[in-house]
Every structure is written in C-alpha cells, then in structure tokens.
Amino acid sequence: MKIAEYYYTIDQASSEEFKDRGSKFIAYALPITDSVIFKKHLQSLKKEHPKAVHHCFAYRIGLNNDNFRVNDDGEPPGTAGKPILGQIDSRNLTNISVIVVRYFGGTLLGVPGLINAYKTATALVLQTIPVIQKQIEKVYLIQFDYTRLNDVMQILKQGNCTIIKQDMQLFCEIICGIPINKLERIIDQLTNLHGIELKAVD
C-alpha cells in the first residue's frame, strides 16, 4: 500500500451566506491545527452573533481520520454537524473547521430542509477558498555544533524541509518537519555528518 505523501487543506479563512425561507445560515471556514484554536474561534463567533439561535460546526484535524468533531447545537440530531463534515470530507480536507451560524426566520425547515441548508452553506464557503496541497512531514529535533550549521541548513533546504523552531547558540537545536517521501535520504545525509544528534518528535 502506497503511503500518502501529501494532504489537502486551506490556509485562509472565509465566510459565505445562504438563506432559506427567512432563515439565514452564515458559514465560516477556518484553517486550524488544534482544537484550542477552534474553541477560541467559536467563542468569538458566539460574541459576534449573540442573537443567532444555533452555532453548529464540524472540524477535522490531522491525518489519521480519528480527530474530528460534529455538533448540532440544538438542531435535530444529524441535521447540522454531519452535513458540514460531509462537505469537508467530500473535498478530502483536513486541518479545517466550518462553523455555521443560524438566524431563525420563523418558518420550520424540517429535517431535509435543515440538512440541505447546512450542507449548502458549507459547500458555498468551501468554494470560495483555494485548496492547497501540503507535504506530509515527520518532525525531528536536530542537535549539532555551530560549525555544522551550513551543512545542516543546506541539507534541510535541498530536502524542502520545514523549519518549525530554531535555537542558534554554540550548540544549535532545530526542530523541523522532514517530508516523508524524502525521510530516509535526508536522515542518511544528516547522520553522515560528524556530531549530529537526531531525534523523532511525536
């Protein structure tokens, strides 16, 4: 089985509105990397829309398909969160959240109407944002003497690695993401340098 080398996500926020029989559904899409960012975003939208009757959402984080959440926020079960997540998954996206804020317009939409409204609002907002492809990386801590800095940086640059954090003293530390499709080669190159310590970071 071929290991996936890339994943798809968004790198900007957007919002879009959908109306049905007087009810207004405002969908907000946001790139996220953890649930803490998401919760802050949800709280700020609740403050921004205090008169909205529902703040329904879905998010998916990471690459192993088990970090996701859906919430109907008082709507009939399965009518909001699941249709929102369905649109995220139909585009094969991760590290993304969509919150749909609903203002009630006086007419009940029924279960099919609600599913359609939350699905459509999410589809509309996702159509406004470019999908980006990101390489899947494994995070490593690299420790080395300052004299090795140029050699290390050259290997990381050629391998298209992502520098997450760096501390450049006499003894240097770099936390970086190494693309999994180049992992073996880059680790070989780094370990062949004298005095390099390499440790995988979970």
Side-chain angles (χ1 to χ4, degrees), residues 104-165:
F104 184 55
T107 304
L108 292 171
L109 302 183
V111 166
L114 287 171
I115 290 170
N116 180 63
Y118 283 102
K119 179 182 172 181
T120 305
T122 305
L124 287 171
V125 74
L126 293 178
Q127 282 165 18
T128 67
I129 314 169
V131 170
I132 58 165
Q133 185 186 57
K134 285 195 165 184
Q135 57 190 11
I136 297 173
E137 298 176 329
K138 189 145 179 57
V139 179
Y140 275 83
L141 167 66
I142 309 167
Q143 297 172 309
F144 53 94
D145 190 87
Y146 189 77
T147 54
R148 287 287 176 201
L149 180 60
N150 285 346
D151 298 330
V152 170
M153 292 309 267
Q154 193 176 355
I155 291 168
L156 298 182
K157 193 178 175 187
Q158 284 172 350
N160 201 21
C161 301
T162 305
I163 306 288
I164 298 164
K165 197 176 171 188

Side-chain angles (χ1 to χ4, degrees), residues 8 60 82-94 96 119 122-123 126-127 131:
Y8 299 92
R60 189 175 284 289
K82 271 189 178 172
I84 296 169
L85 186 66
Q87 289 302 300
I88 291 170
D89 289 347
S90 72
R91 288 162 175 77
N92 198 25
L93 299 172
T94 191
I96 179 174
K119 179 182 172 181
T122 305
L126 293 178
Q127 282 165 18
V131 170

Side-chain angles (χ1 to χ4, degrees), residues 54-58 71-75 80-81 84 98-101 118:
H54 304 284
H55 302 78
C56 306
F57 66 80
N71 191 311
D72 297 314
D73 193 32
E75 293 281 33
I84 296 169
V98 176
I99 300 166
V100 181
V101 176
Y118 283 102

Side-chain angles (χ1 to χ4, degrees), residues 1-69:
M1 187 177 154
K2 193 172 185 289
I3 297 171
E5 295 175 4
Y6 299 94
Y7 66 94
Y8 299 92
T9 188
I10 58 171
D11 64 354
Q12 62 193 68
S14 186
S15 64
E16 201 62 43
E17 196 176 291
F18 173 71
K19 288 180 181 170
D20 187 2
R21 284 167 277 178
S23 278
K24 186 163 71 170
F25 298 81
I26 312 164
Y28 293 86
L30 183 82
I32 58 169
T33 49
D34 60 52
S35 58
V36 176
I37 298 168
F38 169 76
K39 283 170 188 165
K40 285 181 183 169
H41 183 54
L42 180 61
Q43 289 310 315
S44 71
L45 281 180
K46 284 184 175 179
K47 282 179 189 165
E48 197 181 318
H49 297 280
K51 291 182 178 166
V53 286
H54 304 284
H55 302 78
C56 306
F57 66 80
Y59 66 69
R60 189 175 284 289
I61 302 168
L63 304 169
N64 53 6
N65 288 331
D66 59 4
N67 192 355
F68 68 93
R69 194 160 164 228

